[in-house]
Amino acid sequence: MNVPEPAAARRRRWRRALPWAALLALLGVAQSLLVWLTLNYEATRAQDETDTFAAESAAAVRGELLRAMQTVQSLPWSAPSPAQWLADASALLRTRRDLLRVEHRDAALAVTAAVDSPYGPPLFGVFAREQMSVEAEAACIAARRVAAPQFSHSYFVPLPGGLGVEVIDVCVPVAGDDTQLVATLSLAGVLERALGPGQLHAHEVSLVEGDGTRLARVGPLRGAGVYRADRVVDLPGVTLLLRADGVAGPPRLIPNLTLALVLGLSAALFGVVLLLARDVRRRAEAEGALAEALAFRKAMEDSLSTGLRARDLAGRITYVNPAFCAMVGFDAAELMRAETPPYWPPEHAVEYDRRQRVRLADPAAAGDTREGHETVFMRRSGERFPVMIYEAPLVDGQGRHAGWMSAVLDMSAQRRVEDLSRQQQERLQATARLATVGEMASLLSHELNQPLAAIASYASGSLNLLDDAAPAGAGGELRGLLRQALQRIAEQAERAGRVIKSVHDFVRRREHAHEALRVDQLIDAVLPLVRLQARKSGARIELDLPQPPPRVRCDRTMIEQVLLNLTRNGIQAMETDTPLAQRVLTLRARQTHERWVTFSVVDAGPGIAPAVAQRLFTPFFTTRREGMGLGLSLCRTVIEQHGGALDFGDRADGPGTEFRFTLPADRGAPRTPADGGADAAPAGVASAPPSA
């Protein structure tokens, strides 16, 4: 027994079937429309191609006829002789196969001369020209009336053997004369000349009359009559009708196209299902990769020692990493909850707040500050510490500006390293000065012994004079001798005090401020110590300074140490191999540039060997047994810290070495040009100032 289907079940079944039915109906309609649209498109495309070809062919035929007319115009009757005209006409006919005949007619339109084409039988061999001259005479009458070339109507000319040709005449008036030139053109020849074989593979072209009668045609195939296009060829005196007939028939692909559509739609539906499945799989993979990327980014940010901070357009903190929290001592919740960042030092809070308001008011004006800027933050404990901030715009998924992302570096450790390095450099400089004083100690002991011995001698002599003097008659002379001895004692004592004071001032001078000084002040400050060593070595010191002396800006203590090191090296270089009479050390200064002053220390020693010159400025490299190898290295460091350069070269006027270094000139002082006399430094000796 059949149980009737419940109404609710039927409704559910219809509801499930209705979308599928609608889908099938839509697919059927879509397929039908697609077939119709395809056929219509193919037909329209073929007709458009025929229309375009017909227009181009009509223009080509008209252009070819007009060129033929111009060719005839170039053949005037006013030639030197009729024989010459016949020769020119024959030459013209040999150049154009579509030109069948050229005639000259007098005022009564009678033919006075004629030339036929050499490529075929005479045109009027069957019927005389007078029997077929109606169209030509009408064109000539019209040409004479308008004083311009005119084309005649086309007409058929029989040929021997039962053949014939459709021709057209063009009548050209001869200027200054009532005579005219008549040229007969083959319409088929004009078509072949205007349209090459490469243009006729898909169309048949013909010239027809108004009733459809074909006058001439070209083309390897016959037209199918489905896709046709007619175009008018407008000529002076006549109008021709050109017809292009496509060789292709109507589309015959309906069964194949339908099958292709069905298969294509089926494949497309299957492809859509595959694409949906692949999209779901890729979406799941992308979500998994995104989760892994987020976890990786979180782990990477948590492991960074660089602090990361994100702020929105209102300036509120939206994200910080653990390194930033450890840097400032506040947790992420406190930082994101605070209206004003708690790591701002109170003394800088107003300035930081003003700077942030400027950025918020005009984000574009702030630009991209990825080059970094240094500022000061405060830890929870209240400790201030320097930080370097690299900040860049933060954009959202749509490319809109959403805030700023900052990378914050704690510069405390770097500052401590810099302070330690500066302290070590100061200690090294102090050690170098002490080493210099130690090397000068032997000189001081030798030089101080002489005045002290003299003091003792004069004192002993004074006592002896007092003891041995006669009590009577010798009072005046004794007083004179005693006065002279006491003066000598005072002079030597003062000399010893000056030497000791020079050494004391050099050792105790610790300031590092740059000051403006004349070059003679620098040289005079070290000259007593230089003369001590020069006297011990038997060398002479010569000064070569311009007047007025130029001024430089430098650290006085450090430059004096450089001068002492260079002069001591120059004196020591002359101690062994240089004759005593040639031991001259020259100290020279010249302002070689408006920004630079060049110092030169020139000795007369044996020079520097090439192997030694390569390592001369290497720290701890020395050629002396008692040396430390730090003098020249420290000298170069000091000069480079002043922005100058230190180098050396052979002496220009004899054996010896010249050490040169540059110092910045005092810009407030007037420029002192280099002396151009005989004692001036030779060209190329002064060291060029470094580039800014």
Side-chain angles (χ1 to χ4, degrees):
M1 183 176 62
N2 294 331
V3 179
E5 185 179 17
R10 288 198 301 270
R11 286 195 298 270
R12 286 196 300 270
R13 183 167 58 82
W14 278 107
R15 282 197 299 268
R16 288 195 301 267
L18 186 60
W20 291 103
L23 178 60
L24 292 175
L26 290 175
L27 288 175
V29 172
Q31 291 177 1
S32 301
L33 288 175
L34 186 59
V35 171
W36 180 81
L37 290 174
T38 302
L39 292 174
N40 185 64
Y41 168 77
E42 293 294 333
T44 303
R45 184 179 61 82
Q47 185 61 46
D48 290 340
E49 290 178 357
T50 302
D51 292 339
T52 303
F53 180 79
E56 294 174 353
S57 300
V61 170
R62 183 178 185 276
E64 192 62 37
L65 289 171
L66 292 178
R67 280 192 293 273
M69 179 183 71
Q70 293 172 357
T71 302
V72 176
Q73 284 181 309
S74 65
L75 188 68
W77 175 251
S78 56
S81 64
Q84 182 63 39
W85 182 87
L86 292 175
D88 294 341
S90 299
L92 177 62
L93 291 173
R94 285 193 296 271
T95 60
R96 295 186 63 100
R97 286 181 174 270
D98 58 337
L99 191 59
L100 302 180
R101 181 183 174 90
V102 177
E103 302 171 345
H104 179 267
R105 299 197 176 207
D106 57 13
L109 299 181
V111 177
T112 60
V115 180
D116 287 298
S117 174
Y119 299 109
L123 183 61
F124 299 101
V126 178
F127 293 98
R129 177 57 169 161
E130 291 76 13
Q131 297 176 349
M132 306 190 69
S133 185
V134 177
E135 302 295 341
E137 292 176 357
C140 289
I141 293 173
R144 183 180 298 173
R145 184 174 61 252
V146 299
Q150 295 290 311
F151 284 88
S152 70
H153 292 282
S154 65
Y155 56 95
F156 181 81
V157 177
L159 296 177
L163 301 178
V165 61
E166 191 75 15
V167 298
I168 187 173
D169 293 330
V170 56
C171 186
V172 178
V174 177
D177 194 355
D178 291 336
T179 62
Q180 294 177 337
L181 297 179
V182 177
T184 304
L185 295 166
S186 169
L187 292 181
V190 171
L191 288 177
E192 291 177 356
R193 186 178 179 88
L195 305 173
Q199 303 178 15
L200 301 173
H201 63 280
H203 295 86
E204 177 193 16
V205 179
S206 58
L207 292 173
V208 299
E209 293 183 345
D211 58 355
T213 302
R214 180 178 294 164
L215 301 177
R217 66 166 293 277
V218 290
L221 301 175
R222 292 289 181 176
V226 178
Y227 305 110
R228 284 184 176 179
D230 295 337
R231 291 294 183 271
V232 174
V233 180
D234 190 13
L235 298 170
V238 70
T239 299
L240 301 177
L241 183 62
L242 183 140
R243 173 172 295 171
D245 192 353
V247 298
R252 300 181 182 277
L253 300 176
I254 293 178
N256 295 336
L257 181 59
T258 303
L259 180 60
L261 288 174
V262 172
L263 293 177
L265 288 175
S266 301
L269 291 175
F270 183 73
V272 168
V273 173
L274 293 179
L275 289 175
L276 289 175
R278 188 180 65 171
D279 183 69
V280 171
R281 179 174 56 82
R282 287 187 175 180
R283 187 181 297 273
E285 292 176 353
E287 291 175 353
L290 179 60
E292 292 178 0
L294 290 176
F296 177 78
R297 193 199 71 175
K298 183 70 168 56
M300 181 179 63
E301 292 172 354
D302 292 345
S303 64
L304 286 176
S305 60
T306 302
L308 298 179
R309 176 193 65 182
R311 294 184 296 168
D312 59 13
L313 293 176
R316 297 179 61 88
I317 296 176
T318 59
Y319 168 78
V320 289
N321 69 337
F324 187 88
C325 296
M327 187 184 302
V328 299
F330 300 93
D331 58 26
E334 291 177 296
L335 293 174
M336 289 187 285
R337 186 172 55 247
E339 293 291 335
T340 300
Y343 49 83
W344 283 1
E347 64 271 19
H348 299 310
V350 176
E351 174 62 20
Y352 291 1
D353 183 69
R354 183 194 63 79
R355 188 164 56 191
Q356 180 168 279
R357 286 200 305 270
V358 171
R359 179 182 290 272
L360 295 177
D362 188 8
D368 190 348
T369 58
R370 298 184 188 183
E371 66 274 15
H373 63 278
E374 189 172 351
T375 186
V376 177
F377 281 177
M378 181 182 67
R379 307 188 199 274
R380 181 186 284 272
S381 61
E383 175 189 359
R384 273 68 170 171
F385 63 102
V387 295
M388 179 67 73
I389 300 178
Y390 297 90
E391 198 163 47
L394 187 64
V395 296
D396 58 12
Q398 286 73 36
R400 296 173 298 186
H401 184 207
W404 293 269
M405 172 59 72
S406 306
V408 183
L409 301 178
D410 189 350
M411 306 296 291
S412 302
Q414 182 176 347
R415 292 292 178 268
R416 287 194 295 269
V417 172
E418 292 174 355
D419 292 339
L420 180 60
S421 176
R422 184 168 54 253
Q423 294 173 6
Q424 291 177 347
Q425 185 177 8
E426 291 177 357
R427 293 193 190 98
L428 184 60
Q429 294 174 357
T431 302
R433 287 197 298 272
L434 292 177
T436 303
V437 173
E439 293 179 9
M440 299 297 293
S442 60
L443 297 176
L444 291 176
S445 62
H446 177 269
E447 295 296 331
L448 290 178
N449 283 335
Q450 293 181 5
L452 291 178
I455 291 172
S457 298
Y458 284 123
S460 299
S462 299
L463 293 176
N464 293 333
L465 288 174
L466 290 175
D467 293 339
D468 298 339
E477 183 179 356
L478 179 61
R479 284 193 298 272
L481 294 174
L482 288 175
R483 184 180 299 108
Q484 184 179 4
L486 292 176
Q487 288 176 351
R488 298 296 184 185
I489 293 172
E491 290 174 0
Q492 295 299 323
E494 182 181 359
R495 178 186 173 192
R498 285 198 305 268
V499 172
I500 295 174
K501 185 175 183 301
S502 298
V503 177
H504 182 268
D505 291 342
F506 174 75
V507 175
R508 294 298 303 274
R509 186 177 294 133
R510 299 300 300 273
E511 64 274 8
H512 297 282
H514 288 199
E515 54 183 322
L517 298 169
R518 297 196 313 273
V519 297
D520 58 338
Q521 293 175 321
L522 291 172
I523 295 177
D524 290 343
V526 300
L527 201 57
L529 298 177
V530 175
R531 291 190 186 279
L532 285 177
Q533 186 172 2
R535 189 176 298 113
K536 178 181 177 181
S537 302
R540 301 192 310 275
I541 306 298
E542 292 186 357
L543 301 181
D544 184 5
L545 304 178
Q547 295 297 330
R551 297 172 65 86
V552 295
R553 180 166 292 276
C554 64
D555 184 334
R556 181 170 188 166
T557 302
M558 303 307 297
I559 299 304
E560 289 176 359
Q561 181 176 345
V562 171
L563 288 171
L564 280 175
N565 284 334
L566 295 180
T567 54
R568 184 176 67 250
N569 291 343
I571 293 172
Q572 292 175 351
M574 297 185 294
E575 287 180 347
T576 56
D577 299 332
T578 304
L580 189 62
Q582 299 178 8
R583 296 181 184 178
V584 179
L585 184 73
T586 303
L587 301 180
R588 181 182 299 123
R590 291 287 188 273
Q591 183 161 0
T592 56
H593 189 271
E594 63 178 358
R595 294 180 53 197
W596 303 97
V597 175
T598 301
F599 290 77
S600 300
V601 179
V602 186
D603 63 60
I608 300 175
V612 176
Q614 295 178 358
R615 304 178 57 191
L616 196 60
F617 294 102
T618 303
F620 302 105
F621 172 77
T622 180
T623 57
R624 299 196 306 271
R625 182 178 304 174
E626 69 279 3
M628 297 179 60
L630 293 175
L632 289 178
S633 177
L634 290 175
C635 289
R636 170 169 278 187
T637 301
V638 169
I639 296 302
E640 290 178 351
Q641 288 177 350
H642 282 75
L646 171 63
D647 67 349
F648 66 94
D650 294 334
R651 183 172 179 175
D653 55 352
T657 305
E658 178 180 359
F659 279 83
R660 305 171 293 267
F661 65 89
T662 56
L663 291 177
D666 182 20
R667 305 302 293 272
R671 179 182 176 184
T672 302
D675 188 8
D679 296 334
V685 172
S687 174
S691 58

